[in-house]
Amino acid sequence: MSAFHWEIQLVSMVVATACALPGTFLVLRKMAMMSDAISHAILPGIVIGFFLTENLSSPLLILGGAVAGLLTVALVEWIRKTDRVREDAAIGLVFSTLFALGVLMIAQFANDVHLDIDAVLLGELAFVPFDRLMLFGRDLGPQALYATGIVGLLCAGFILLFYKELKLATFDSALCATLGFLPGVLHYSLMGLVSMTAVAAFDAVGSILVIALMVGPPASAYLMTHQLSKMILYSIILAILAAISGYWAAYLLDASIAGCMATMVGVEFAVLFCVAPHQGLLVAWKRRRHQRWAFAIKMLVIHLLQHEDTPESEQECRVDHLQDHLAWEQPFAEGVVARALSRKLIRSVGEYLELTPSGRNLAHQAMVHV
């Protein structure tokens, strides 16, 4: 395997990490679609930055994209506060308008420049190794590695420096403001980092993969834990796994690298959505099944307690009578009785059922909580 293959994977891992860091807070703030808006709306900022520098590698393009991203956030907030339209509609209006403006600017003034709309949307990681960073005649590797790496370090540094403040602003912005931590400044700083990440990554991976990596891994991590520090860590790990597995899927299928990576992000979420330890569908199904049996056992011991030492006990405490009185089907009734017997809540005396002391206690507790 050539060095180019390793460089593509390394760049994709760095991009995945850079996207997962701010993406975690976007998901927790219920602003996941803001990543979509920003990743599209940064286009006019990039174009203006190119007009000023005439250099696609200039850091001013990242600055221009960041400014455009902040403008997007500010416009969305302003429209939302008018109470004329909802936030989702405001996001759709702003980002589609700014993105269309960027497309028009490219079509009108930059037709002869390698600033391609398809590359903005889809990217092409296969070309990353050909755009090298040369310093004093030495080849230091792909430029995208350094651009996204620097932005990733900025994101990591910002989160480490303001971790407590970000955590407080994310979960209780009112308390954050009361304590004087300026949640508005934190919000716009975070959005600026999202914009810079999107600009740094768009040429290599395209805006679609940026959105997938910002939203998918944090959403998957949220299914695994509700602890912020662990969620950030899991988001990074899942993003890197999606990048690596997506690359090899593209290699084997001879398909789009960015497309396969975005697909693996979706596959990760689908798997965890089913088997996550706390919120997965399988765990939820097991929990509901357990609750159904537990509730049925409580109904059984309450039924036996109510008819204990009464003239009707010979009839009501028969196993075959449970189907009539509690409207249970025979297999289910037998299953409830078997579980109650295994837990020593009842005992069988011929065809009749009797409560044990522990079963009687359970029935009294259940009746108290009804």
Side-chain angles (χ1 to χ4, degrees), residues 112-361:
D112 56 342
V113 179
H114 175 58
L115 194 59
D116 191 82
I117 300 302
D118 291 335
V120 171
L121 290 174
L122 304 177
E124 187 46 77
L125 274 163
F127 295 151
V128 162
F130 298 103
D131 190 8
R132 317 295 291 183
L133 177 63
M134 305 298 295
L135 190 63
F136 303 116
R138 296 185 61 183
D139 183 359
L140 300 180
Q143 285 196 21
L145 178 63
Y146 293 92
T148 54
I150 291 172
V151 173
L153 288 175
L154 286 174
C155 292
F158 178 77
I159 291 172
L160 287 173
L161 189 61
F162 298 104
Y163 179 78
K164 293 181 180 179
E165 291 81 358
L166 282 169
K167 185 176 182 180
L168 186 59
T170 298
F171 296 107
D172 195 339
S173 58
L175 178 60
C176 183
T178 302
L179 296 176
F181 288 136
L182 301 176
V185 174
L186 290 171
H187 173 71
Y188 282 99
S189 299
L190 181 63
M191 294 303 106
L193 287 174
V194 171
S195 304
M196 293 172 65
T197 304
V199 177
F202 91 97
D203 190 39
V205 303
S207 64
I208 301 301
L209 185 54
V210 169
I211 298 166
L213 291 173
M214 278 192 181
V215 177
S220 299
Y222 185 73
L223 296 174
M224 300 173 64
T225 181
H226 287 167
Q227 187 175 339
L228 179 58
S229 57
K230 288 183 178 180
M231 184 176 170
I232 294 173
L233 177 62
Y234 293 162
S235 297
I236 294 172
I237 293 172
L238 289 169
I240 291 174
L241 286 176
I244 296 174
S245 60
Y247 173 79
W248 285 106
Y251 181 80
L252 295 173
L253 298 174
D254 191 21
S256 165
I257 299 175
C260 287
M261 289 181 179
T263 300
M264 293 310 299
V265 170
V267 169
E268 284 181 346
F269 179 80
V271 171
L272 288 172
F273 189 71
C274 293
V275 302
H278 301 296
Q279 300 187 70
L281 291 179
L282 182 60
V283 171
W285 175 78
K286 288 183 177 180
R287 187 185 300 118
R288 287 194 299 269
R289 187 170 180 268
H290 173 75
Q291 290 172 345
R292 183 190 182 202
W293 286 115
F295 181 72
I297 289 172
K298 288 181 180 180
M299 288 182 63
L300 173 61
V301 295
I302 290 174
H303 171 75
L304 295 177
L305 179 65
Q306 289 178 334
H307 295 94
E308 194 174 42
D309 299 327
T310 64
E312 300 85 12
S313 61
E314 293 186 3
Q315 178 67 19
E316 297 288 346
C317 296
R318 293 169 60 92
V319 177
D320 55 4
H321 184 69
L322 297 176
Q323 302 170 48
D324 299 328
H325 189 91
L326 297 175
W328 288 346
E329 295 182 0
Q330 182 179 353
F332 183 73
E334 292 174 352
V336 175
V337 171
R339 283 168 171 77
L341 286 170
S342 66
R343 292 175 56 183
K344 297 182 179 179
L345 298 173
I346 62 174
R347 54 175 169 261
S348 179
V349 182
E351 297 181 354
Y352 302 96
L353 300 174
E354 291 183 355
L355 287 172
T356 63
S358 57
R360 196 171 288 106
N361 289 336

